[in-house]
């Protein structure tokens, strides 16, 4: 049986294990969306993961969802990321940048711009702003000429990611952000070629992936998806059909991987495993749900056909998570109050496991 600690070949990368550090927003970037020395230390501490996927990185100004998040759309941002990727590589790790366009999940106080989306349908919930949580504002619907521009923004950020030293990129197609909004049957009310039918609703995702593959190569490109998820009020009326069609089209591009969140029933996810011919990463537990992913969850999904398993919150308080999983050691709890507060407390202050003398 496949073990979580078996090696794996992912494109041009040799992964020493099948543990993936999932992308997690930590809002520690400096002004201007710059990566920081603390971010370099944070990711380097976790470099024993087979693969690290960074926090969401905005591809342009209008794509920024939260204050304090980093970007990859200026030369200064690229330069700021090089010490981060260099620190991970020096520690023996591998790191992909997650390219995240927030779409309608944003606020003009954060970006200075009105958020955009496939349609003028407001997200459900409060968004973070520099002055605190506020109700999500109505977005501006992208016009027909703007949609391909936003699809290409992922590719442009991917080129910058490679220049910054990342090993590849993961497009954030999940959790109610822009790609997910286009996939949705209630956030996307378009009547042109980017809406309506399943073929129309998957078009934006496919074009963003195709542009990115063309920019940096298929072996360096992955995508994260959340079938059936309802984050920020998105709904998908035909999940099996929608994601079967999407994975069929993505398979033609031969990307490095698809990263599925456990946001649909297990039978739906295992059916998608049968559809998808390439590398599959699975995050076995609902993001921000009551349960964190553990060793049993990982082993179960490896048995169900996953090639790699991603762990999110467990990596926050356990920089040595791979060794804790390998040795059956206790998984330390994280302090939720420090998730987004900024500073090094609850960021760089979690120690590796201490063995009794």
């Amino acid at each position: 049986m496949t073990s979580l600690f078996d090696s794996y070949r992912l494109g041009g990368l040799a992964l020493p294990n099948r543990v993936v550090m999932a992308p997690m927003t930590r809002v520690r970037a400096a002004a201007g969306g710059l990566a920081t020395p603390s971010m370099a230390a944070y990711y380097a501490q976790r470099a024993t993961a087979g693969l690290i996927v960074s926090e969401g990185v905005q591809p342009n100004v209008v794509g920024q969802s939260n204050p304090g998040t980093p970007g990859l759309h200026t030369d200064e941002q690229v330069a700021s990321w090089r010490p981060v990727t260099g620190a991970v590589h020096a520690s023996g790790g591998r790191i992909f940048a997650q390219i995240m366009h927030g779409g309608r999940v944003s606020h003009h106080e954060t970006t200075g711009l009105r958020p955009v989306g496939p349609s003028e349908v407001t997200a459900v919930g409060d968004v973070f702003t520099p002055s605190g949580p506020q109700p999500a504002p109505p977005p501006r619907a992208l016009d027909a000429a703007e949609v391909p521009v936003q699809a290409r923004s992922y590719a442009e950020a991917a080129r910058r990611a490679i220049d910054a030293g990342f090993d590849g990129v993961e497009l954030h197609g999940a959790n109610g952000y822009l790609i997910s909004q286009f996939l949705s049957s209630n956030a996307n009310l378009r009547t042109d070629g980017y809406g309506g039918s399943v073929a129309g609703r998957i078009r934006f995702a496919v074009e963003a992936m195709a542009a990115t593959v063309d920019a940096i190569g298929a072996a360096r490109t992955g995508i994260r998806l959340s079938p059936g998820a309802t984050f920020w009020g998105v709904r998908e009326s035909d999940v099996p059909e929608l994601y079967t069609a999407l994975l069929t089209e993505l398979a033609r591009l031969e990307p490095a991987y698809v990263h599925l969140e456990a946001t649909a029933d297990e039978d739906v996810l295992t059916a998608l495993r049968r559809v998808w011919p390439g590398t599959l990463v699975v995050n076995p537990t609902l993001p921000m749900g009551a349960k964190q992913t553990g060793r049993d969850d990982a082993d179960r999904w490896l048995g169900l056909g996953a090639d790699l398993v991603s762990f999110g919150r467990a990596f926050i308080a356990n920089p040595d998570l791979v060794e804790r999983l390998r040795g059956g050691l206790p998984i330390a709890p994280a302090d939720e109050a420090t998730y987004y507060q900024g500073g090094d407390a609850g960021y760089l202050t979690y120690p590796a496991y201490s063995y009794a003398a």
Side-chain angles (χ1 to χ4, degrees):
M1 179 180 172
T2 300
S3 166
L4 193 58
F5 310 105
D6 290 343
S7 60
Y8 188 79
R9 191 80 188 177
L10 181 69
L13 296 176
L15 310 187
N17 57 66
R18 298 178 184 234
V19 178
V20 175
M21 178 176 166
M24 290 177 286
T25 297
R26 302 303 310 275
V27 295
R28 259 70 174 189
L34 303 181
T36 67
S38 289
M39 290 164 66
Y42 171 76
Y43 286 115
Q45 285 177 348
R46 291 152 179 82
T48 52
L51 177 68
I52 293 171
V53 184
S54 82
E55 61 211 280
V57 182
Q58 56 260 16
N60 51 29
V61 175
V62 76
Q64 183 174 3
S65 183
N66 300 311
T69 54
L72 270 171
H73 52 90
T74 70
D75 292 344
E76 293 77 14
Q77 290 165 352
V78 170
S80 75
W81 276 111
R82 289 184 183 131
V84 179
T85 59
V88 171
H89 293 148
S91 299
R94 297 134 299 275
I95 184 168
F96 274 34
Q98 188 191 64
I99 309 302
M100 173 183 158
H101 192 306
R104 67 180 187 167
V105 185
S106 184
H107 198 279
H108 68 270
E109 282 194 12
T110 298
T111 65
L113 301 168
R114 184 180 178 186
V116 298
S119 302
E120 290 187 7
V121 179
T122 304
V124 175
D126 290 347
V127 296
F128 293 104
T129 77
S131 61
Q134 296 194 44
R140 179 179 64 82
L142 293 164
D143 67 36
E146 292 177 295
V147 176
V149 173
Q150 294 303 323
R152 289 194 297 271
S153 73
Y154 293 87
E156 292 159 4
R159 288 191 187 94
R160 290 185 177 274
I162 299 304
D163 189 24
F166 285 97
D167 297 296
V169 303
E170 175 182 282
L171 275 59
H172 198 346
N175 297 1
Y177 299 110
L178 187 60
I179 291 175
S180 174
Q181 291 159 32
F182 271 93
L183 294 172
S184 169
S185 50
N186 70 339
N188 181 356
L189 304 180
R190 302 180 73 94
T191 57
D192 61 8
Y194 289 96
S197 67
V198 164
R201 286 187 283 127
I202 69 172
R203 181 178 173 186
F204 183 82
V206 174
E207 289 187 359
M209 280 290 284
T212 306
V213 165
D214 185 61
I216 66 171
R220 289 173 161 176
T221 305
I223 187 169
R224 194 178 205 210
L225 302 168
S226 54
T230 58
F231 298 105
W232 300 108
V234 300
R235 298 281 177 181
E236 296 165 346
S237 60
D238 35 30
V239 172
E241 180 187 359
L242 180 71
Y243 283 90
T244 295
L246 176 58
L247 294 184
T248 299
E249 289 302 310
L250 294 180
R252 304 181 199 281
L253 302 173
E254 300 182 334
Y257 65 81
V258 163
H259 186 177
L260 292 182
E261 298 178 5
T263 47
D265 291 341
E266 187 176 292
D267 59 342
V268 173
L269 298 178
T270 53
L272 294 177
R273 163 73 281 188
R274 293 191 292 272
V275 170
W276 178 245
T279 295
L280 180 67
V281 186
V282 172
N283 190 297
T285 53
L286 186 69
M288 302 306 294
K291 186 178 187 297
Q292 293 188 31
T293 300
R295 174 71 185 274
D296 290 346
D297 304 301
D299 289 342
R300 174 172 173 75
W301 268 101
L302 289 173
L304 289 172
D307 299 296
L308 306 169
V309 178
S310 66
F311 295 75
R313 287 167 287 169
F315 260 114
I316 292 177
N318 300 274
D320 58 337
L321 180 63
V322 173
E323 292 311 309
R324 292 187 188 230
L325 292 169
R326 193 193 308 270
L329 301 173
I331 305 300
D335 179 4
E336 294 186 19
T338 65
Y339 280 4
Y340 312 120
Q341 74 172 14
D344 289 345
Y347 191 60
L348 301 183
T349 52
Y350 292 111
Y353 184 78
S354 178
Y355 290 86

